């Protein structure tokens, strides 16, 4: 049934044709029963014209409605009695108000107001009037005129209501589409900004490694003649630092960087700065527990920076959305092939909008996490915590570091 209704909405002429066939049947049946050749031919012409106009009423509402009004006036002028096919005029009262131009809607309401009195006048003029008209007859005529006009006005009002409702739905759909486009645009801007930030930080990491290589190379050249062993150690450090710099450079090339954002080339924070970060958060009023398991070892600077930023942004979200009395826990697990970072809290959690795009009204932290974790080919799990609160779990591979 749902698919049938959807198909009928996409093909309105099918519905209009079905109603037109029904009106055609009763109109022809009424025309056959008319007395006199003029009444028969006139009734047959009206019975054929009204269904034909009904088929195309939504494709050409202005033309069909005006033609229907002219047909009704012609029927009155030619003194053709109303029949069952005249019910089709009510359809055009609705059509002009719902789909027609403003001037067509005004024409329809004017025609509806005079339809009753004109039809009654033509009907009364065909009968032999009495010698006098009593007050009761006048009241009866007025009541009959109002009664015949009312269906036209009701159909016109129904059409106006349909027009207003359709315009309201179109406005809601347009607003929803506009909001969706704005959300997508904001997400793209947030992704671009976060990638630019990552590029700047990785640039600083690579610049720091290159600076170490330069210092070691100068030292090796200085002690090459007097202490070959120290020179050999310096060359080994240069080779190791250079390989790490190449790894970071490959990541850097995969991230877009905004021009004109050069900053001071300083080493970026890493895992060793996490205790200092947690202490700052505790001073700001958020109790945080920290646990580190596994064999702690040196990591590439880019990976250390990713860990630091994930913890930093996760704790920032806890402060924003956790609510009063919230506590957080940070756990870092060094495993053989990967590194797991887990940040949990027992607060009130986060909204679905923040889960989808990170648009919490204060930033796009979750988008930045996804970008950073994806840059190092890791995985990120974000969602509600069993028992209440929120959890962020990132698994970062360590194979590249080896």
């Amino acid at each position: 049934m749902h698919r049938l209704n959807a198909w009928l909405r996409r093909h309105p002429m099918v519905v209009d044709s079905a109603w037109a066939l029904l009106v055609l049947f009763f109109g022809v049946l009424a025309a056959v029963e008319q007395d006199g050749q003029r009444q028969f031919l006139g009734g047959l012409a009206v019975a054929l014209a009204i269904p034909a106009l009904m088929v195309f009423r939504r494709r050409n509402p202005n033309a069909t409605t005006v033609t229907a009004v002219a047909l009704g006036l012609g029927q009155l002028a030619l003194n053709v009695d109303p029949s069952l096919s005249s019910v089709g005029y009510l359809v055009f009262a609705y059509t002009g108000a719902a789909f027609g131009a403003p001037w067509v809607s005004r024409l329809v309401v004017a025609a509806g107001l005079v339809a009753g009195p004109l039809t009654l006048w033509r009907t009364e003029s065909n009968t032999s009037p009495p010698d006098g008209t009593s007050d009761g007859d006048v009241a009866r005529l007025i009541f009959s005129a109002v009664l015949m006009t009312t269906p036209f006005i009701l159909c016109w009002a129904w059409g106006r209501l349909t027009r207003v409702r359709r315009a309201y739905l179109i406005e809601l759909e347009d607003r929803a589409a506009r909001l969706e486009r704005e959300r997508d645009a904001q997400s793209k801007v947030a992704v671009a900004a976060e990638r630019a930030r990552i590029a700047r930080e990785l640039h600083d990491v690579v610049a720091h490694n290159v600076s170490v290589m330069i210092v070691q190379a100068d030292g090796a050249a200085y002690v090459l003649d007097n202490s070959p062993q120290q020179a050999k150690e310096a060359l080994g450090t240069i080779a190791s630092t250079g390989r790490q710099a190449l790894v970071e450079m490959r990541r850097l090339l995969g991230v877009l960087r905004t021009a004109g954002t050069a900053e001071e080339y300083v080493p970026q924070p890493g895992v060793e700065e996490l205790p200092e970060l947690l202490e700052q958060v505790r001073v700001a009023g958020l109790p945080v527990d920290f646990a580190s398991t596994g064999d702690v070892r040196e990591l590439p600077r880019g990976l250390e920076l990713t860990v630091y930023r994930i913890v930093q942004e996760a704790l920032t979200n806890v402060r924003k959305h956790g609510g009063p009395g919230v506590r957080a826990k940070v756990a870092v697990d060094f495993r053989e092939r990967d590194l797991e970072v887990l940040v949990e809290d027992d607060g009130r959690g986060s909204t679905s909008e923040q889960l989808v795009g990170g648009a919490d009204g204060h930033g796009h932290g979750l988008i930045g996490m996804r970008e950073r974790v994806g840059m190092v080919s890791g995985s990120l799990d974000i969602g509600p915590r069993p028992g209440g609160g929120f959890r962020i779990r990132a698994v970062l591979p360590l194979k590249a570091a080896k």
Side-chain angles (χ1 to χ4, degrees):
M1 289 299 297
H2 177 72
R3 274 187 271 185
L4 177 61
N5 291 333
W7 186 85
L8 291 176
R9 283 196 297 268
R10 293 193 302 268
H11 302 83
M13 287 187 65
V14 175
V15 180
D16 293 337
S17 299
W19 287 109
L21 287 176
L22 187 63
V23 173
L24 176 64
F25 173 76
F26 287 108
V28 172
L29 188 64
V32 171
E33 296 178 353
Q34 291 287 340
D35 295 330
Q37 185 177 8
R38 187 179 58 137
Q39 291 292 336
F40 168 72
L41 294 178
L44 184 60
V46 172
L48 294 175
I50 289 181
L53 293 174
M54 288 177 60
V55 173
F56 302 97
R57 68 183 184 91
R58 276 191 266 198
R59 178 172 293 183
N60 299 290
N62 295 336
T64 54
T65 303
V66 172
T67 304
V69 172
L71 182 64
L73 293 176
Q75 184 177 356
L76 289 174
L78 296 176
N79 199 15
V80 177
D81 294 337
S83 63
L84 290 176
S85 60
S86 299
V87 176
Y89 290 124
L90 299 177
V91 176
F92 292 100
Y94 169 84
T95 302
F99 307 105
W103 64 271
V104 175
S105 178
R106 291 191 290 268
L107 174 65
V108 166
V109 70
L113 289 173
V114 301
L118 287 178
T119 303
L120 187 63
W121 168 76
R122 173 59 72 180
T123 302
E124 291 293 327
S125 64
N126 292 335
T127 61
S128 299
D131 297 336
T133 302
S134 63
D135 294 339
D137 293 333
V138 173
R140 179 183 61 81
L141 292 176
I142 294 175
F143 176 77
S144 299
V146 172
L147 190 63
M148 296 176 67
T149 301
T150 300
F152 291 95
I153 302 303
L154 291 178
C155 289
W156 177 85
W158 184 18
R160 291 296 300 176
L161 181 62
T162 302
R163 178 189 289 269
V164 172
R165 181 175 177 271
R166 188 172 64 252
Y168 177 70
L169 291 177
I170 292 175
E171 182 181 356
L172 287 181
E173 292 175 356
D174 180 69
R175 181 181 179 185
R178 186 171 62 251
L179 290 176
E180 185 175 357
R181 290 193 300 268
E182 291 178 356
R183 185 191 65 185
D184 293 341
Q186 290 176 357
S187 297
K188 291 179 180 178
V189 170
V191 168
E194 191 61 34
R195 288 183 176 179
R197 180 185 176 189
I198 295 171
R200 291 194 301 270
E201 293 174 346
L202 284 177
H203 182 282
D204 298 341
V205 170
V206 174
H208 174 69
N209 290 336
V210 173
S211 300
V212 172
M213 293 168 60
I214 293 173
V215 171
Q216 293 292 335
D218 290 341
Y222 181 76
V223 300
L224 180 61
D225 296 330
N226 298 329
S227 182
Q229 183 60 31
Q230 291 185 7
K232 183 178 179 180
E233 293 176 358
L235 291 175
T237 303
I238 292 174
S240 176
T241 307
R243 283 191 292 269
Q244 183 173 327
L246 284 177
V247 173
E248 305 297 345
M249 183 64 73
R250 291 191 187 99
R251 294 173 181 166
L252 175 62
L253 292 177
V255 182
L256 296 177
R257 177 172 182 173
T258 306
T261 55
E263 297 178 355
E264 184 181 0
Y265 298 158
V266 296
Q268 296 294 331
V271 178
E272 63 273 10
E273 280 80 16
L274 282 181
E276 181 180 351
L277 171 64
L278 299 179
E279 186 60 30
Q280 293 175 358
V281 174
R282 294 188 186 102
V283 171
L286 174 63
V288 182
D289 297 328
F290 178 71
S292 177
T293 56
D295 296 331
V296 181
R297 56 187 180 272
E298 185 178 358
L299 302 175
R301 292 297 301 174
L303 192 61
E304 289 200 7
L305 177 61
T306 299
V307 173
Y308 185 90
R309 294 304 186 196
I310 289 175
V311 175
Q312 183 184 42
E313 188 59 44
L315 294 178
T316 301
N317 287 340
V318 173
R319 292 176 58 190
K320 290 180 183 177
H321 311 293
V326 63
R327 295 185 62 90
K329 176 184 177 181
V330 178
V332 179
D333 184 13
F334 288 85
R335 299 190 289 218
E336 182 179 358
R337 293 184 174 274
D338 53 43
L339 172 67
E340 182 186 61
V341 181
L342 180 65
V343 182
E344 295 181 314
D345 67 81
D346 57 0
R348 58 192 176 192
S350 185
T351 64
S352 58
E353 289 80 4
Q354 294 157 13
L355 286 176
V356 173
D360 56 5
H362 303 281
H364 297 267
L366 299 185
I367 291 179
M369 289 186 194
R370 293 189 182 99
E371 290 296 315
R372 291 181 181 276
V373 173
M375 182 190 65
V376 297
S377 302
S379 62
L380 183 65
D381 181 20
I382 301 174
R385 174 175 170 266
F390 201 68
R391 180 182 65 182
I392 296 176
R393 177 177 176 268
V395 178
L396 312 176
L398 299 180
K399 186 177 181 179
K402 295 182 179 181

